[in-house]
């Protein structure tokens, strides 16, 4: 614990002002790396230690589990026991409220939370039952229903709001039927966690009044990312005491595609007349050169509050730029840079991050990092809890926790296989619907159905199995229940064949067990429902940077994080900015904010890369450089006339410097080959201990070699000389790979 004087002494003058301003509406515009978490946690500590506010009367909302965990840790260091203080994501907060009061909306407290694939399956069934074509309606309905809920619109309100839309009647019918399907399954989708809380407050003001009375001080982090329903909930909570403290940066508002309203932060002082506004512009994260680029690019946005980041940090290393012939060339450059910097011994792999606008361009980086034995983790793609085998196990836990969840029932009855086919399940579904019962409970009435005796026996036996699991779970924790289910169903037998895919699936099941064990250790008195909540509310970035591996992630996945060395890749028009934004000014401004967020994650070194051609969406296209490179050209030292000057080989000549110093791991003149002058400078002048293959000159065509990942292969061709040898190797079952001998984990066999 620290005393108030110690806590306040660590704040600069601008940070101190909002910390001690505790009454009414307060907005803190906190630039990237300006210490907003310190400000927020210091203010809460000030309220508790100086103002004697009971922790149970304080709420702090943020937008990622990782950020919530870090906030709790800081607060515990400041004030010790947090008591009944609510520090969580807004979704976790809403689940906590709904578990207590959702019965008022016709659900029971053990509701399931559908992920994206569950939602899609339910919608598809709804659309088919309405006699409509899922191919025509599924994607549109899914997006519009999500938008409607984020904008606080019920089906009827949606019909009125979108009356101009073609096929609005059909979409209204889908939305209405989907809502009925959810309540029949005692399930909510992810958007419902907010929307049902909003409806609960609206329809039952006594519940809203209870929480508004309880929470005297409302704190909201990352306020620029709030959507309409989130802000509405926050406003309702702040009605009684009026103390609402929000922290954010309009320049980092990057979630408009999922409903975030940058207007919330831009118009906060219009909504709350007399609100105090403070700005934090001193950056503690990045070098002057990095901030200069960030400021230069973001100034091109018009919908923003004026601000300019500054720092007392050093000028730092030159921002490097690179253009490759294709995506593999671009990825190879990044891999070589990481290898070069790692050879110095000053970095760990977790100090590096590779950012991209779309996950579709990650393949080349995965390939090159595998070549050179660079450990990496992908974020922003398929979440761990969305993997098939993981969802299969969880479906058993879901159905015994919520017997009304037909999606969970259909999943667990199908895995492992039990000789119960789609036709039987369709007949069962129709039979249960006639009694208005969920499938699990409807099996009890099968004696009244026309199903065959053998089918009835299989279904009865399956229900007895689930009943046993449910009974077991009532006296055992989530981990023991999970292990009991896996053992009883012989779940692991389906992975007996020795394949890499099955090995990965077994590892995933073991990791699932680890998540349950960790959750129980952290929450000793938790229930099965509590564990399932944690699973549904988890994200793939909760454990980001836990391992010593390079982060490969979409920009959306890393906001709020920082790395010593950052590579912003795919800086081509139609990628960053994304194609749909090019003709839409508001979307283009959000793309520019994405670029700003990517740049300001870098602490020491920043690299901007692109490629002159890419294979995407089934064909190879020639690319043009991102406008964001042009906007930063002066800071980057690129002459205007050279900005798009490409030679006959497709290289952008303006990106290549002929000179470089010892502070740069590889010169910007790097291209599809490897510069021999670079290698000599790297090995001789920098005087580094590099783990290279003993004698690169001994590699010959026809030679057998072994790679740690690809296995045994045959050298086909050898190119280059000295320390700059590239070999093409044909690996059994893998194909031909081009490898830089100096770095590739190869041995001669």
């Amino acid at each position: 614990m620290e005393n108030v004087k110690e806590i306040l002494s660590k704040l600069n003058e601008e940070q101190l002002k909002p910390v001690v301003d505790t009454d009414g509406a307060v907005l803190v515009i906190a630039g990237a790396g300006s210490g907003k978490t310190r400000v927020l946690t210091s203010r809460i500590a000030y309220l508790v230690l100086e103002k004697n506010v009971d922790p149970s009367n304080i709420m702090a909302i943020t937008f990622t589990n990782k950020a919530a965990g870090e906030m709790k840790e800081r607060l515990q260091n400041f004030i010790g026991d947090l008591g009944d203080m609510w520090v969580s994501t807004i979704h976790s907060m809403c689940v906590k409220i709904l578990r207590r009061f959702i019965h008022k909306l016709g659900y029971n407290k053990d509701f399931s939370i559908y992920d994206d694939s569950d939602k899609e399956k339910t919608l598809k069934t709804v659309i088919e039952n309405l006699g409509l074509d899922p191919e025509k309606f599924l994607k549109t309905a899914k997006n519009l229903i999500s938008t409607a809920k984020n904008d606080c619109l019920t089906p009827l309100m949606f019909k009125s709001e979108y009356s101009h839309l073609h096929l609005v009647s059909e979409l209204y019918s889908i939305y209405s039927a989907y809502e009925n399907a959810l309540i029949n399954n005692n399930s909510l989708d992810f958007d419902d966690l907010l929307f049902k809380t909003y409806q609960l407050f609206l329809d039952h003001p006594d519940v809203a009044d209870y929480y508004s009375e309880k929470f005297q001080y409302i704190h909201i982090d990352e306020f620029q990312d709030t959507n309409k329903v989130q802000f509405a909930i926050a406003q309702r909570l702040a009605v009684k005491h009026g103390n609402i403290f929000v922290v954010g940066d309009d320049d980092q508002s990057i979630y408009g595609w999922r409903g975030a309203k940058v207007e919330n932060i831009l118009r906060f002082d219009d909504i709350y007349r007399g609100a105090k506004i403070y700005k934090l512009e001193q950056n503690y994260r990045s070098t002057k050169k990095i901030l200069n680029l960030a400021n230069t690019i973001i100034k091109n946005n018009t919908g923003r509050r004026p601000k300019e980041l500054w720092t007392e940090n050093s000028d730092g290393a030159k921002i490097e730029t690179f253009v490759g012939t294709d995506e593999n060339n671009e990825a190879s450059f990044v891999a070589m840079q990481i290898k070069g910097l790692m050879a110095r011994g000053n970095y760990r792999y977790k100090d590096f991050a590779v950012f991209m606008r779309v996950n579709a361009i990650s393949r080349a980086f995965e390939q090159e990092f595998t070549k050179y034995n660079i450990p990496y983790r992908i974020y922003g793609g398929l979440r761990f809890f969305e993997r098939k085998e993981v969802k299969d196990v969880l479906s058993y836990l879901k159905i015994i926790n919520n017997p009304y969840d037909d999606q969970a029932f259909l999943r667990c009855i199908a895995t492992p296989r039990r000789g119960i086919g789609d036709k039987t399940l369709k007949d069962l579904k129709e039979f249960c619907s006639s009694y208005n019962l969920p499938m699990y409970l409807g099996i009890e009435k099968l004696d009244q159905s026309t199903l065959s005796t053998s089918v009835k026996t299989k279904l009865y036996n399956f229900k007895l199995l689930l009943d046993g699991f449910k009974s077991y779970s009532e006296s055992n924790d989530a981990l023991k229940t999970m292990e009991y289910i896996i053992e009883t169903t012989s779940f692991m037998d389906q992975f007996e064949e020795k394949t890499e895919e099955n090995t990965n699936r077994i590892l995933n099941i073991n990791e699932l067990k680890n998540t349950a064990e960790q959750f129980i250790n952290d929450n000793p008195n938790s229930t099965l429902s509590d564990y399932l909540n944690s699973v549904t509310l988890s994200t793939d970035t909760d454990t980001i940077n836990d391992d010593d591996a390079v982060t490969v992630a979409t920009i959306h996945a890393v906001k709020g994080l920082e790395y010593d060395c950052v590579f912003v890749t795919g800086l081509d028009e139609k990628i960053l900015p994304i194609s749909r934004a090019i003709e839409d000014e508001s979307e283009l401004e959000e793309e520019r904010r994405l670029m700003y967020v990517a740049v300001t994650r870098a602490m020491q070194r920043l690299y901007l890369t692109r490629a002159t051609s890419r294979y995407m969406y089934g064909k190879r296209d020639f690319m043009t450089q991102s406008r964001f490179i042009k906007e930063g050209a002066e800071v980057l030292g690129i002459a205007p006339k050279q900005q798009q000057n490409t030679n006959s080989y497709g290289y952008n000549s303006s990106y290549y410097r002929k000179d470089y110093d010892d502070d740069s791991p590889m010169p910007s003149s790097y291209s599809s080959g490897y510069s021999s002058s670079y290698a000599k400078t790297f090995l001789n002048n920098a005087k580094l201990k590099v783990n290279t293959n003993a004698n690169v000159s001994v590699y010959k065509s026809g030679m057998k070699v072994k790679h740690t990942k690809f296995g045994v292969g045959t050298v086909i061709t050898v190119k280059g000389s000295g320390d700059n040898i590239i070999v093409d190797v044909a690996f059994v079952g893998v194909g031909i790979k081009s490898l830089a001998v100096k770095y590739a984990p190869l041995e001669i066999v």
Side-chain angles (χ1 to χ4, degrees):
M1 287 181 59
E2 299 182 33
N3 62 45
V4 174
K5 188 175 181 181
E6 289 173 329
I7 294 169
L8 299 184
S9 68
K10 295 174 184 177
L11 304 172
N12 67 36
E13 185 178 347
E14 295 307 311
Q15 291 172 331
L16 181 61
K17 292 175 183 176
V19 167
V20 299
D21 189 347
T22 58
D23 296 326
V26 177
L27 167 63
V28 179
I29 302 294
S34 63
K36 68 178 178 64
T37 304
R38 176 171 289 278
V39 168
L40 201 154
T41 52
S42 296
R43 185 180 197 262
I44 293 173
Y46 181 78
L47 286 169
V48 174
L49 300 177
E50 183 68 19
K51 295 291 188 176
N52 297 315
V53 177
D54 191 304
S56 66
N57 298 134
I58 297 173
M59 171 186 285
I61 296 169
T62 188
F63 281 81
T64 68
N65 296 320
K66 192 176 184 71
E70 290 170 355
M71 195 181 294
K72 283 181 182 177
E73 187 176 342
R74 287 203 196 191
L75 285 168
Q76 286 165 346
N77 291 335
F78 283 162
I79 63 179
D81 183 13
L82 301 185
D84 190 32
M85 185 187 298
W86 285 27
V87 182
S88 70
T89 66
I90 191 166
H91 289 90
S92 294
M93 178 200 81
C94 288
V95 167
K96 195 171 183 178
I97 293 170
L98 291 172
R99 290 290 181 201
R100 182 171 179 183
F101 289 107
I102 199 169
H103 63 276
K104 291 177 177 286
L105 296 179
Y107 295 77
N108 76 51
K109 65 181 182 61
D110 291 322
F111 57 83
S112 297
I113 304 171
Y114 279 1
D115 64 15
D116 202 56
S117 64
D118 295 327
K119 174 180 179 179
E120 199 162 288
K121 286 178 182 177
T122 305
L123 265 174
K124 185 178 180 183
T125 300
V126 161
I127 292 168
E128 289 172 342
N129 289 343
L130 289 170
L132 300 172
D133 182 6
E135 287 289 323
K136 182 176 181 180
F137 285 97
L138 181 57
K139 185 176 180 181
T140 301
K142 181 181 172 185
N143 292 336
L144 282 176
I145 289 171
S146 180
T147 299
K149 291 183 178 182
N150 286 328
D151 286 343
C152 308
L153 301 176
T154 63
L156 274 174
M157 295 165 70
F158 164 84
K159 187 177 183 180
S160 174
E161 182 78 14
Y162 289 92
S163 59
H164 60 284
L165 281 184
H166 180 55
L167 301 176
V168 67
S169 295
E170 289 86 344
L171 291 167
Y172 160 72
S173 297
I174 293 169
Y175 186 5
S176 298
Y178 173 65
E179 287 297 277
N180 289 334
L182 287 176
I183 197 166
N184 288 338
N185 282 267
N186 192 41
S187 299
L188 306 181
D189 64 26
F190 205 65
D191 295 315
D192 278 329
L193 300 181
L194 303 171
F195 185 45
K196 296 303 179 187
T197 303
Y198 167 80
Q199 287 188 309
L200 179 66
F201 284 180
L202 196 66
D203 298 344
H204 301 276
D206 57 314
V207 176
D209 289 341
Y210 167 77
Y211 286 109
S212 185
E213 177 68 40
K214 173 179 171 60
F215 296 116
Q216 298 175 20
Y217 293 90
I218 311 293
H219 300 79
I220 306 175
D221 190 16
E222 303 287 3
F223 186 65
Q224 75 281 347
D225 294 330
T226 53
N227 57 30
K228 184 173 180 178
V229 68
Q230 289 165 347
F231 192 19
I233 291 169
Q235 286 179 287
R236 184 61 180 87
L237 289 171
V239 162
K240 175 67 176 178
H241 301 286
N243 299 319
I244 182 168
F245 180 91
V246 302
V247 186
D249 180 8
D250 48 291
D251 288 336
Q252 296 185 69
S253 179
I254 59 174
Y255 294 109
W257 53 277
R258 67 182 189 198
K261 305 288 186 186
V262 69
E263 296 82 12
N264 288 349
I265 195 168
L266 294 176
R267 297 187 55 249
F268 184 80
D269 44 334
D270 291 330
I271 297 166
Y272 287 97
R273 296 288 183 179
K276 282 88 68 173
I277 300 177
Y278 300 94
K279 285 185 183 180
L280 306 180
E281 296 174 285
Q282 181 176 0
N283 176 284
Y284 292 93
R285 176 187 299 156
S286 307
T287 65
K288 287 185 173 70
K289 287 179 180 175
I290 291 170
L291 293 186
N292 192 14
L293 176 65
N295 287 328
T296 299
I297 291 173
I298 201 63
K299 281 180 180 176
N300 290 281
N301 272 5
T302 57
R304 64 188 293 263
R305 291 179 183 261
K307 72 189 78 67
E308 184 154 340
L309 297 180
W310 63 275
T311 187
E312 293 179 348
N313 295 340
S314 66
D315 281 354
K318 182 184 185 296
I319 298 172
E320 299 291 341
T321 52
F322 172 78
V323 179
T325 50
D326 58 25
E327 64 274 15
N328 296 318
N329 188 206
E330 177 188 32
S332 189
F333 166 76
V334 173
M336 292 299 97
Q337 291 290 314
I338 292 172
K339 275 293 189 183
L341 285 167
M342 283 296 295
R344 298 177 174 220
N346 297 327
Y347 292 102
R348 300 162 298 174
Y349 283 112
K350 68 191 298 183
D351 296 327
F352 297 90
V354 179
F355 298 157
M356 54 204 66
R357 174 61 178 88
V358 291
N359 205 53
I361 67 173
S362 68
R363 181 203 57 80
F365 295 99
E366 296 182 62
Q367 174 181 293
E368 293 302 314
F369 290 174
T370 300
K371 277 185 186 180
Y372 299 108
N373 209 24
I374 297 172
Y376 66 90
R377 288 193 66 181
I378 301 283
Y379 299 93
L382 184 67
R383 295 193 313 122
F384 172 78
F385 291 109
E386 290 173 351
R387 294 169 185 171
K388 181 184 183 303
E389 59 278 6
V390 171
K391 290 195 67 171
D392 288 343
V393 173
L394 289 174
S395 66
Y396 284 92
L397 299 180
K398 287 186 173 183
I399 192 64
I400 62 177
N401 181 66
N402 174 19
Y404 293 85
D405 188 346
D406 280 355
Q407 288 294 345
F409 177 87
L410 289 168
R411 189 166 200 115
C412 64
I413 201 172
T415 310
R417 293 177 180 174
R418 297 180 168 82
I420 299 173
D422 291 342
K423 173 71 166 58
T424 296
L425 292 174
K426 183 180 179 183
D427 291 343
L428 175 64
K429 177 68 174 174
E430 289 177 355
F431 172 77
C432 293
S433 295
S434 68
Y435 283 91
N436 197 27
L437 287 170
M439 298 174 79
Y440 174 22
L441 301 181
I443 292 175
E444 294 176 351
K445 290 185 173 292
L446 281 185
D447 57 325
Q448 301 175 37
S449 76
T450 58
L451 294 172
S452 69
T453 301
S454 62
V455 167
K456 288 178 183 178
T457 300
K458 288 179 182 179
L459 291 171
Y460 284 139
N461 288 340
F462 181 65
K463 184 178 185 300
L464 287 174
L465 184 71
L466 294 184
D467 289 344
F469 294 156
K470 185 171 181 60
S471 177
Y472 186 89
S473 71
E474 290 168 357
S475 55
N476 290 276
D477 62 32
L479 174 60
K480 289 178 180 176
T481 302
M482 185 187 297
E483 291 175 333
Y484 180 67
I485 289 169
I486 291 170
E487 181 181 355
T488 306
T489 60
S490 301
F491 189 86
M492 305 304 286
D493 289 356
Q494 60 189 308
F495 309 130
E496 279 185 342
E497 186 181 350
K498 302 296 183 184
T499 65
E500 184 175 356
E501 184 178 25
N502 280 346
T503 299
N504 288 332
R505 285 176 171 169
I506 291 169
L507 290 173
N508 286 337
I509 297 299
N510 290 335
E511 179 58 26
L512 179 63
K513 293 179 186 177
N514 289 338
T515 69
E517 182 176 20
Q518 185 63 52
F519 181 80
I520 292 163
N521 289 339
D522 293 342
N523 306 273
N525 299 316
S526 59
T527 64
L528 177 58
S529 185
D530 293 331
Y531 170 67
L532 291 172
N533 287 349
S534 74
V535 166
T536 310
L537 298 175
S538 72
T539 69
D540 65 339
T541 58
D542 289 349
T543 57
I544 199 166
N545 251 24
D546 284 359
D547 302 329
D548 188 23
V550 176
T551 293
V552 180
T554 60
I555 302 170
H556 286 102
V558 295
K559 191 170 70 64
L561 302 178
E562 59 188 24
Y563 297 86
D564 286 345
C565 306
V566 166
F567 297 84
V568 185
T569 66
L571 280 167
D572 304 303
E573 288 287 294
K574 298 185 180 180
I575 296 180
L576 183 58
I578 201 78
S579 56
R580 67 173 180 269
I582 291 174
E583 302 300 326
D584 186 313
E585 190 59 34
S586 65
E587 286 205 33
L588 184 59
E589 293 216 345
E590 180 153 321
E591 294 293 299
R592 191 173 286 110
R593 294 194 291 268
L594 262 177
M595 179 68 178
Y596 176 82
V597 166
V599 167
T600 54
R601 299 312 92 198
M603 299 170 69
Q604 299 176 8
R605 294 180 179 276
L606 177 63
Y607 301 79
L608 309 178
T609 71
R610 59 172 299 258
T612 55
S613 80
R614 291 185 186 278
Y615 190 84
M616 290 186 70
Y617 310 116
K619 61 176 181 161
R620 180 161 294 281
D621 278 338
F622 287 101
M623 313 300 292
T624 58
Q625 74 170 11
S626 168
R627 67 192 66 202
F628 303 142
I629 292 288
K630 183 177 180 180
E631 291 172 1
E634 186 175 346
V635 173
L636 295 169
I638 303 172
K641 66 179 181 180
Q642 295 177 317
Q643 285 168 22
Q644 201 60 36
N645 179 24
T646 57
N647 61 28
S648 59
Y649 296 99
Y651 296 104
N652 188 328
S653 59
S654 68
Y655 282 81
Y656 300 96
R657 289 187 298 138
K658 295 181 180 178
D659 61 320
Y660 54 92
D661 52 38
D662 289 346
D663 190 45
S664 181
M666 181 172 285
S668 296
S669 56
Y670 171 93
S671 61
S672 58
Y674 301 92
S675 165
S676 59
S677 62
Y678 158 68
K680 290 176 183 176
T681 298
F682 184 73
L683 292 172
N684 300 330
N685 295 348
K687 299 177 182 178
L688 303 173
K689 295 180 180 179
V690 182
N691 294 322
T692 61
N693 290 294
N695 185 355
V696 296
S697 63
V698 302
Y699 286 85
K700 309 292 183 186
S701 295
M703 179 179 285
K704 293 288 185 182
V705 295
K706 185 176 182 180
H707 187 280
T708 56
K709 177 69 175 178
F710 303 137
V712 175
T714 303
V715 176
I716 300 174
T717 57
V718 182
K719 298 170 280 190
S721 61
D723 294 313
N724 191 31
I725 289 179
I726 307 295
V727 291
D728 291 335
V729 182
F731 290 100
V732 178
V734 176
I736 298 173
K737 300 289 183 182
S738 293
L739 303 166
V741 171
K742 180 175 179 299
Y743 287 120
L746 285 174
E747 62 175 290
I748 297 169
V749 296

